[in-house]
Amino acid sequence: MTRRPTSQALVFAVAVIGIAIFSSMDAVMKGLVLQLGAFTTLFWRTLAGIVFTGLIYFPTRRGWPSRAVMRVHLIRGSVSAVMAVTFFWGLARVPMAQAIALAFIAPLLALFGAAFVLKERIPPSAILASLVAFGGVGVIMLGQASAAPDPDRFRGTVAVLISAVCYAYNIVLMRQQAMVAGPSEVAFFQSIIVGVIFACFAPFIAHVPDTHHIPAILLAAALATVSLLILAWAYARGEANYLAPTEYTGFIWAALWGWVVFHEPVAPYTLAGAALIITGCLIAARRRSVENVEAAF
């Protein structure tokens, strides 16, 4: 059955919503990581995520994935496991806004990774949008450079940068995966593959959390599941180089939750950088809409 064309503006907006939900999950996770540690938090959140995604996937599945599709699931699940551990370990050591800002090298790398792996054309508007948004990240980093040196924060910064490299590849894999599998299948197999990987280390690293942490773990799992479903839907309908700039909107939510929940101040440099990030996303959405209209004629 042929899929009806979907408005690219709608696809872009849905991806933005997915990033907003994912960023809100980051705030819940940071609170848990500060209390439980990165690995324990991720392990139990992933187990809860397997249950949530399984309840969605199994009633609607039409058979098991082929070997080729399973290969994509395995690769993305493995990359996601490394990406998650390094990111949340780093997130516990740096402010949320700074961590997300550092992670913004991922969409820029993904832009060219999509061209190399997926053979997608890189339109000038996508390059312009990413460069404008990346300029916003540079402004934020100028503000962070003026802060007093902190060895623990430096280690957190390195961990987030490692995660960002993994996430760049993950964005490209997200597009590959979404083209061969439905959102519920993508969410389920990502959860279960990451869960199996974590389970190999859990007996040596993880511990059983107190019961009062269970609601937050379940909330984090639910937010992660919803964001996976939404982003899988969007990446099945829009090219990776077009949707990559939506990742920059996560900074706005990181700054908001960091300020509200963790009392992390938002500096003028941060606000200036956020303005550039939003501008980059608007350029991407507007230029692509213009290209679609011109193509129709």
Side-chain angles (χ1 to χ4, degrees):
M1 183 176 66
T2 302
R3 176 185 292 162
R4 295 180 61 186
T6 305
S7 164
Q8 290 299 287
L10 174 61
V11 172
F12 194 91
V14 170
V16 168
I17 293 171
I19 295 299
I21 295 172
F22 200 81
S23 299
S24 300
M25 181 272 295
D26 286 342
V28 177
M29 287 292 289
K30 177 166 183 170
L32 287 167
V33 169
L34 289 171
Q35 300 174 70
L36 303 176
F39 187 85
T40 293
T41 300
L42 280 166
F43 176 64
W44 290 103
R45 188 207 72 178
T46 302
L47 291 186
I50 292 172
V51 175
F52 289 156
T53 55
L55 290 173
I56 297 170
Y57 171 65
F58 281 103
T60 59
R61 75 181 184 91
R62 299 179 179 177
W64 290 104
S66 66
R67 179 176 296 183
V69 174
M70 183 59 75
R71 179 177 178 274
V72 177
H73 289 326
L74 286 170
I75 293 173
R76 188 183 174 204
S78 301
V79 172
S80 295
V82 177
M83 178 189 75
V85 171
T86 51
F87 177 77
F88 287 111
W89 189 89
L91 183 63
R93 289 158 175 78
V94 299
M96 282 193 66
Q98 181 181 345
I100 298 300
L102 292 168
F104 282 158
I105 65 168
L108 193 62
L109 294 174
L111 182 69
F112 300 98
F116 180 74
V117 177
L118 303 179
K119 311 303 180 185
E120 293 183 358
R121 183 181 66 88
I122 304 179
S125 60
I127 296 175
L128 175 62
S130 290
L131 290 177
V132 170
F134 195 69
V137 176
V139 171
I140 294 165
M141 293 306 296
L142 283 175
Q144 294 294 339
S146 62
D150 183 332
D152 200 41
R153 180 175 292 189
F154 176 76
R155 287 190 289 269
T157 298
V158 172
V160 172
L161 288 173
I162 293 171
S163 177
V165 174
C166 293
Y167 193 38
Y169 187 29
N170 190 63
I171 291 173
V172 178
L173 290 170
M174 193 187 307
R175 172 66 172 169
Q176 284 185 309
Q177 195 179 33
M179 294 300 293
V180 296
S184 62
E185 180 181 319
V186 168
F188 174 71
F189 279 98
Q190 169 141 335
S191 295
I192 199 164
I193 290 168
V194 172
V196 169
I197 293 171
F198 286 166
C200 294
F201 300 94
F204 312 101
I205 304 175
H207 62 271
V208 179
D210 293 335
T211 54
H212 69 271
H213 292 303
I214 292 176
I217 292 172
L218 293 176
L219 175 60
L223 291 173
T225 300
V226 172
S227 66
L228 274 172
L229 292 170
I230 289 176
L231 289 172
W233 183 93
Y235 273 82
R237 292 160 176 80
E239 291 185 351
N241 61 39
Y242 171 53
L243 295 177
T246 64
E247 302 287 335
Y248 296 122
T249 62
F251 172 78
I252 308 302
W253 295 100
L256 174 63
W257 293 128
W259 177 59
V260 171
V261 180
F262 303 104
H263 310 292
E264 298 167 351
V266 182
Y269 278 101
T270 301
L271 295 175
L276 285 172
I277 290 166
I278 294 172
T279 300
C281 291
L282 291 176
I283 289 172
R286 182 177 180 276
R287 292 293 180 86
R288 183 56 178 261
S289 296
V290 170
E291 289 173 5
N292 286 342
V293 170
E294 289 176 347
F297 290 94

